[in-house]
Amino acid sequence: MLFNSYVFVAAFLPLTLGGFALACRFGRLQAALFLLFASLVFYGWWNPHFLPLLAVSVGANYAASALIMRYVARPRWQSAILMGAVAGNLAALFWCKYLAAMLWFLRAHGIAEVALADPVLPLGISFFTFTQIGFLVDCRQGQAREPSLLNYALFVSFFPHLIAGPILHHREIMPQFADATTWRLRGENLAVGSAIFLIGLLKKTLLADPLAPIASAGYADPSALTLFPAWHAALAYSLQLYFDFSGYSDMAIGLARLFNLRFPLNFHSPYQAQSVIDYWQRWHMTLTRWLMLYLYNPLALYIARRRAARGLPIDRAARSSLRGFATMVALPTMVTIGLAGVWHGSAFTFVVFGLLHGVYLCVNHAWRLWRPGPRSAAWHAVVARVALTYGCVLVGSVIFRATSLTDAGAMLGGMLGLRGVWLAAPDLHAAVGVLWLVALYAIVWGAPNTQQIMRAYAPALGRAATGSWPRLVWQPTLPWAVAFGVAAMLGLLSIGGTGEFLYYRF
Amino acid sequence: MLAAVMAAGFVLVWAWVAAMPLAYLDPEYPVWRAKLAMLQRCDLGEVLVVGDSRAAVDVMPALLPVKTTNLAVGGGMPIEAYVAVARAMACPVPPRRVVISLDAAHFAVPDLFWERTVKFGFVGPADLALLRRLALATGDASLATPKVSDGLSAALRGWLYAWRFPPLYFGSLAKSGLFLRLWSNQAAYADALAARGQYFFGRDDGSSTVAVEGRMAGFVPLPVLDRYFDRMLALLAARGIPADFVAMPMNQATGRAVLPGVRAGFAAYLAHYEARYPGFHVVGPAMLAWPDHYFGDGFSHLNPRGAALLSMRFGQCLQGRLEQASQSDCVPRLEE
């Protein structure tokens, strides 16, 4: 079930809110059980065959966490259980997401003759797998303990984050489950949650979705694109991805807020980033956090310990040497971001996308270590940094979107003008298209984001939103009610989609 | 307050969507509406043309010697043809002859049925109920199931289209700026009425783009479309109205690309129905090609010069067939 579907907006959400309000009257247990039930309905709506997979995953990981907590006095046993559970999670993920592609690759290159029909990817498997691996690791380190299966199951499967994140951390959610005020509907949270959800819905349906046909048409045959259409398609996709993910993250945060839960911030104007390091701290923030906590940090720590054991220095000066930089910074960065690329999918383009961002980050880290002086705060320097960062991200997004590296190369070639510069004939549609992109970039770089608009009500966990535009800070007032009434009407209308099938143009 | 504003706005938009489709729907809608208007008025003449976009473009009633109505539609399949014929048969004076023209792909691939045929109101809930029954009977849900996966059932979607539920029209509302298509659509509606249903797609001076038949690996009709084709021929046979199948030309590039199996399969399929219904005749080859310079776009729609040429020749043939004097092909075989 998608957040921007009729069945969700017109049926599932009102019924779930009503049911939750009713269940809260009977107590916390009943309310939590109801939310779990609703989440399973949400998950199984598209394909009920995947419900057992989710149930087994939750059950097995809960059992593993219970075993880890039971053998506190036997660290080796704990480690063995942890490794077994993590291996099981990764095996399931590999089977569903990567095995068919890998066998196809081996077959295509004549290495093996085994073939497997493309399995249908269970929704959200990467998200609930990562959430649970993080929980198990924290259990092993003594930082997590959850005796309640119900709480654990709800933490993993709560529908606002189940399909596309944010990737939750137990320390953010379990205390909220323990808070008695969570288990009754609250007017303020309904208002704030609805407003955030609406903003997200409009971003998705009005800003992101209309760009999809432009991007799809361009990426369908990039080898035919000259300079202008290539840039048009690449920028359209970059913005589509931005507003799509931003909208989805807002909707997830808003939905959780309706049920009195605050989710971590997952998206914070990433195209305003002034470096690629900054970009990854603003884009899919909970994935970055997960990768840092459970991949980068352990790897960097392991390398540092190995160096220390061999008597090698591990301080900043050591990182500044070429060899120290390569082992202590570049290696964990490339491994982490490389795997982050593969996390997005099994195509080879995702590997290259990850490695490219790994290179960006290494260059960025090197610049921080060896740059000549402090960062200038002058506006032109800020603009230059934002532009450079966005340019790097744009190249990455071309590789991310293209169906093959050949197509990615063709698109980048078109953007460099290798197939000519000018469009065939100026037309009204092209002019409107360009103006529309300009307007969207004005939103991306100039308008306050959702957290800033809703900052009076602490919309998400994590960094506190600041900013100017005080008149654009949401308040429960009449003008805002009217504005959001119009927005709600537009949101409801736009669920039907902004696409139009114009046969006459083909 | 939020709910009140939302509800009031929604009702206003719904009223606009229901009352003024010409103001916002895409430029093909007025043509469909003109055809529906002629059907509703039973203003059909002696010959009725049904089929797909090639027939809609290529047959110009204004150049024909007998009063003809062109009810072929863009992306038309046997289902649209059946609906048009069934409604025409309900008229007090039905046409004397029906010309059917569908390319091979429109028997085998569902086109934009929901996005246009249903959205434009060419079929209604009763037609969709029949479609569901036939889909169930044939085990072929390819047409009955909308391609979008937004959680709406096919029956509910059909009902919402019939009531012009605004979200289903939002794309058109947004792209038209609510009303900016009104004047051009009114003009297109008047033009389509004046041309008795004929309209053009591309007007280029030639096209060598390979059309859809050139990419078909074989000819396998969809069971549900086959059932509609059968029902249409059965209905015409029951009313004693003769029907001719006339293939519209494709460009030479497409003609060269069509696999022999596709050509033979399509011809055999039509021949099977010709043998089954005595009043049904395949006039000329099931597929034929014309020089590329007669085509106005990449979908093998004739340009105005090509359509005029075809219609002149088609008119002579039609006259002969009405007088039961001619057995010649209705579409000439042209070579470079």
Side-chain angles (χ1 to χ4, degrees), chain A residues 39-75:
Chain A
S39 297
L40 294 178
V41 170
F42 173 85
Y43 188 75
W45 190 263
W46 173 61
N47 190 338
H49 294 106
F50 293 132
L51 271 176
L53 176 75
L54 177 65
V56 167
S57 176
V58 169
N61 280 296
Y62 176 76
S65 73
L67 282 174
I68 289 171
M69 287 185 282
R70 184 172 175 182
Y71 291 108
V72 172
R74 296 183 173 184

Side-chain angles (χ1 to χ4, degrees), chain A residues 30 41 88 112 130 175 254 304 312 369 374 394 400 437 450 471 473 499 505:
Chain A
Q30 288 79 359
V41 170
F130 272 36
L312 295 170
L369 281 170
L394 183 64
F400 188 85
L437 290 189
T450 307
R471 294 173 71 90
V473 175
R505 277 200 197 158

Side-chain angles (χ1 to χ4, degrees), chain A residues 83-332:
Chain A
M83 286 171 66
V86 170
N89 277 300
L90 293 179
L93 190 60
F94 181 78
W95 176 272
C96 295
K97 200 166 176 177
Y98 303 105
L99 183 61
M102 183 170 283
L103 290 178
W104 183 88
F105 178 83
L106 293 175
R107 190 183 170 130
H109 289 80
I111 301 167
E113 275 303 306
V114 194
L116 185 71
D118 263 347
V120 182
L121 187 64
L123 281 177
I125 187 170
S126 306
F127 290 93
F128 64 73
T129 300
F130 272 36
T131 302
Q132 295 185 101
I133 289 176
F135 181 76
L136 290 174
V137 172
D138 286 349
C139 282
R140 168 66 185 89
Q141 292 176 347
Q143 294 172 3
R145 182 176 177 79
E146 182 47 61
S148 161
L149 174 59
L150 176 59
N151 275 359
Y152 178 77
L154 187 56
F155 157 64
V156 175
S157 62
F158 184 42
F159 72 89
H161 80 102
L162 181 56
I163 289 178
I167 300 172
L168 300 183
H169 194 275
H170 58 89
R171 268 183 296 190
E172 295 162 340
I173 300 302
M174 296 310 186
Q176 298 188 63
F177 284 167
D179 184 351
T181 59
T182 298
W183 305 103
R184 59 184 169 80
L185 278 188
R186 288 158 65 186
E188 180 184 304
N189 283 344
L190 285 175
V192 172
S194 305
I196 298 172
F197 179 79
L198 271 175
I199 294 172
L201 181 64
L202 293 180
K203 279 184 192 172
K204 162 87 178 129
T205 56
L206 293 187
L207 304 185
D209 288 352
L211 294 167
I214 303 169
S216 297
Y219 279 92
D221 185 13
S223 62
L225 301 180
T226 52
L227 183 112
F228 180 82
W231 274 96
H232 194 198
L235 295 180
Y237 178 67
S238 172
L239 288 168
Q240 181 200 348
L241 190 62
Y242 180 95
F243 285 113
D244 194 276
F245 191 36
S246 172
Y248 184 87
S249 296
D250 286 348
M251 286 192 276
I253 288 171
L255 287 168
R257 189 63 174 260
L258 292 174
F259 296 91
N260 305 317
L261 290 170
R262 285 172 68 209
F263 272 3
L265 191 55
N266 205 30
F267 194 92
H268 189 66
S269 301
Y271 290 173
Q272 292 178 14
Q274 296 184 40
S275 68
V276 177
I277 293 174
D278 186 22
Y279 168 79
W280 279 101
Q281 288 166 352
R282 292 161 168 263
W283 176 275
H284 209 159
M285 296 156 73
T286 56
L287 174 64
T288 306
R289 178 182 67 179
W290 193 96
L291 292 169
M292 292 298 289
L293 279 176
Y294 302 110
L295 199 56
Y296 181 89
N297 288 350
L299 191 56
L301 193 61
Y302 173 78
I303 292 168
R305 281 178 178 159
R306 292 263 299 181
R307 282 178 63 93
R310 289 161 55 199
L312 295 170
I314 55 171
D315 57 3
R316 181 184 170 90
R319 286 202 306 275
S320 298
S321 71
L322 202 58
R323 189 181 174 87
F325 181 83
T327 52
M328 286 193 288
V329 179
L331 179 62

Side-chain angles (χ1 to χ4, degrees), chain A residues 441-460:
Chain A
Y441 277 111
I443 295 172
V444 166
W445 283 318
N449 62 31
T450 307
Q451 285 69 43
Q452 290 164 332
I453 293 170
M454 302 301 298
R455 65 179 182 257
Y457 291 87

